[in-house]
Amino acid sequence: MKSLYPQSFIRIVPRPEGWERRPLPNLLHRAPNRDQEIEILERWYKELKSYQKLDLRKRLRSLTFRDFWSAYFELMTSRIAKGIGLISIRHSPLLGTKRPDLVAADLEGHKQIWEVATAYQRTNRESDDDRSHELANWLNRNFVHYWGILVDAERFNAGGLSIKKAKPAIQDWLDRLDTNGPRELTINPPCISCHLTLTASQRRENPLPIVEELMGQGGNLTATDRIRNILHKKVKQCESAKRHGLPLIVFLFEGDWLHISRESLERALWGEWQLRINRQSRESDWWLAPGGLFMPDPRGQPQNTRLSAVVYGRRQWQDGSLHATLFVYHNPMARHPLSDDCFHDLPQSHVTLSDTEFTAKWSHDLDGPIQILRLP
């Protein structure tokens, strides 16, 4: 069987600079637990059925954020299923005309549909981030100087990366930094195929490749809006959960979209608390604004009922082993509710709704130590 990361492959993956954020170069060359990380991925990959491997192999060897993390977290989710005691785990099975990420079953044969939703930037910004890494590498290959530079590149044109026309301007700017030249240089199309700003950071003792830091891509959507859209899309895609009468669980993992948190997920599920003031009496109270996926629609009707639960997850190393930190959010309006027994001793949230009250209760005190799951 082919190895996922043989030495011949590792050698051709570029070693990451200090500003590099792409997951694969960091995993193979800079991860604190590099050898263990690689060993774990090799073992997880080896235990897959042969027909499951081709697509995952391609994505696990990709330099892009989306391909790598989506494949990684699909594998990780299958190990979570093993870790909580599910015995039948099928990757991408055909259910009707759709293929969910996983279908898992317990000892009694009760099946669940598991979908993996990693929180990413919007596609255009993700593409800009990949191309800004390509641009930073080009700058380092072409410029060695005493000054270190902060790179901010966005709004790339379609087509290949066009940079060479900007080379004389960049060299001239670098050479003038020691004689009180401007600390910032902006270059736009048509001279270059993006909107590029270079900012002088610090002067170093020896000449080195110039890039010291690479700015990430910004975004207009809040984390809450983005998460709500991701989850809503997963629910719409998974008609098979309704048709086959199976619980649907969506796992949300942190990808390259750095502002995701449990708090932003909770706002997406329950709505956002807003202060409401009566102009006449001047009395005020807090209320949940409409829009929560687990809340009734504006007419008071249940919505997203095919979604049984959302699990918020992140990786965590502890005692030399890889674990998953998981928080389970049960949908109070689910057509097929999920039993608490499924996730055993992991933190789980249940919501109670009435005409006047909203109450969220956790199975654990989240301010104290919480149970995490060791991944087999």
Side-chain angles (χ1 to χ4, degrees):
M1 185 198 73
K2 290 184 178 180
S3 171
L4 188 59
Y5 301 124
Q7 286 300 316
S8 58
F9 175 76
I10 293 175
R11 283 195 295 270
I12 65 173
V13 175
R15 289 188 172 276
E17 302 287 350
W19 41 263
E20 175 75 73
R21 294 189 304 275
R22 290 177 298 182
L24 184 62
N26 281 292
L27 166 69
L28 298 181
H29 297 297
R30 197 162 61 186
N33 302 292
R34 171 188 177 274
D35 292 341
Q36 289 172 281
E37 293 267 21
I38 293 174
E39 183 276 327
I40 287 171
L41 272 175
E42 292 281 9
R43 176 166 53 82
W44 290 356
Y45 179 74
K46 181 179 179 180
E47 292 178 9
L48 292 174
K49 298 288 192 296
S50 59
Y51 68 88
Q52 300 166 345
K53 290 182 177 179
L54 185 60
D55 175 62
L56 277 174
R57 178 183 176 86
K58 180 181 178 181
R59 288 188 288 148
L60 286 168
R61 299 177 73 161
S62 172
L63 288 173
T64 69
F65 292 95
R66 181 181 296 267
D67 285 345
F68 179 86
W69 279 132
S70 63
Y72 182 95
F73 284 123
E74 285 173 28
L75 264 181
M76 180 171 162
T77 302
S78 71
R79 308 310 289 198
I80 290 171
K82 286 181 178 289
I84 65 173
L86 300 183
I87 58 170
S88 173
I89 303 162
R90 299 168 59 201
H91 289 254
S92 192
L94 184 63
L95 283 182
T97 59
K98 301 289 186 180
R99 289 188 178 273
D101 292 327
L102 297 167
V103 171
D106 60 21
L107 287 167
E108 297 177 354
H110 299 138
K111 295 180 180 178
Q112 304 166 2
I113 296 175
W114 284 23
E115 283 284 329
V116 181
T118 310
Y120 295 104
Q121 306 177 94
R122 288 180 297 170
T123 303
N124 63 324
R125 292 193 176 275
E126 180 185 333
S127 174
D128 279 4
D129 216 344
D130 288 330
R131 298 178 76 183
S132 66
H133 277 79
E134 183 182 347
L135 170 60
N137 281 314
W138 181 88
L139 290 169
N140 272 353
R141 289 195 304 270
N142 285 273
F143 297 100
V144 174
H145 205 273
Y146 284 97
W147 281 90
I149 303 302
L150 169 66
V151 178
D152 188 359
E154 60 180 0
R155 289 179 286 166
F156 283 78
N157 296 343
L161 197 62
S162 175
I163 311 170
K164 291 182 179 180
K165 290 182 181 179
K167 189 173 181 179
I170 296 173
Q171 186 65 63
D172 178 66
W173 173 72
L174 288 169
D175 292 341
R176 290 191 292 132
L177 286 172
D178 279 334
T179 56
N180 295 321
R183 297 292 295 269
E184 188 171 282
L185 173 67
T186 299
I187 307 176
N188 295 319
C191 184
I192 192 171
S193 59
C194 66
H195 294 259
L196 172 66
T197 300
L198 303 179
T199 305
S201 172
Q202 60 180 339
R203 197 180 194 282
R204 302 166 297 193
E205 292 184 1
N206 298 300
L208 296 167
I210 63 171
V211 179
E212 282 196 339
E213 188 174 349
L214 177 63
M215 295 290 288
Q217 302 299 315
N220 296 322
L221 286 176
T222 67
T224 297
D225 290 332
R226 185 64 174 146
I227 292 170
R228 188 182 291 120
N229 291 345
I230 290 168
L231 294 177
H232 189 69
K233 183 177 179 181
K234 280 291 185 181
V235 173
K236 288 292 186 183
Q237 287 175 343
C238 213
E239 287 284 349
S240 51
K242 178 180 179 180
R243 191 178 307 115
H244 292 269
L246 300 177
L248 169 63
I249 307 168
V250 177
F251 286 75
L252 182 71
F253 292 103
E254 299 174 8
D256 70 315
W257 216 58
L258 302 179
H259 305 297
I260 177 178
S261 64
R262 282 198 303 109
E263 289 72 22
S264 53
L265 171 61
E266 289 170 5
R267 289 193 292 270
L269 296 179
W270 301 335
E272 300 194 50
W273 288 102
Q274 295 183 357
L275 183 63
R276 180 170 51 186
I277 300 176
N278 187 308
R279 292 185 177 181
Q280 294 180 339
S281 67
R282 308 306 296 173
E283 294 180 349
S284 63
D285 64 342
W286 288 95
W287 72 302
L288 274 175
L293 296 177
F294 281 1
M295 306 297 283
D297 67 17
R299 298 170 298 169
Q301 298 300 309
Q303 59 178 346
N304 302 305
T305 56
R306 75 185 70 158
L307 179 58
S308 302
V310 175
V311 181
Y312 176 87
R314 62 175 180 266
R315 294 164 13 101
Q316 180 175 333
W317 280 90
Q318 182 168 304
D319 299 329
S321 298
L322 185 60
H323 293 69
T325 301
L326 302 171
F327 298 87
V328 183
Y329 294 84
H330 292 267
N331 184 357
M333 300 185 180
R335 183 180 288 110
H336 304 288
L338 187 66
S339 168
D340 285 6
D341 293 339
C342 179
F343 286 93
H344 306 302
D345 296 325
L346 298 173
Q348 303 186 54
S349 168
H350 285 275
V351 167
T352 302
L353 299 173
S354 70
D355 291 339
T356 58
E357 290 188 358
F358 164 90
T359 305
K361 292 185 178 180
W362 283 95
S363 59
H364 294 63
D365 178 5
L366 299 187
D367 293 329
I370 59 172
Q371 183 74 26
I372 60 177
L373 181 69
R374 186 179 185 276
L375 298 176

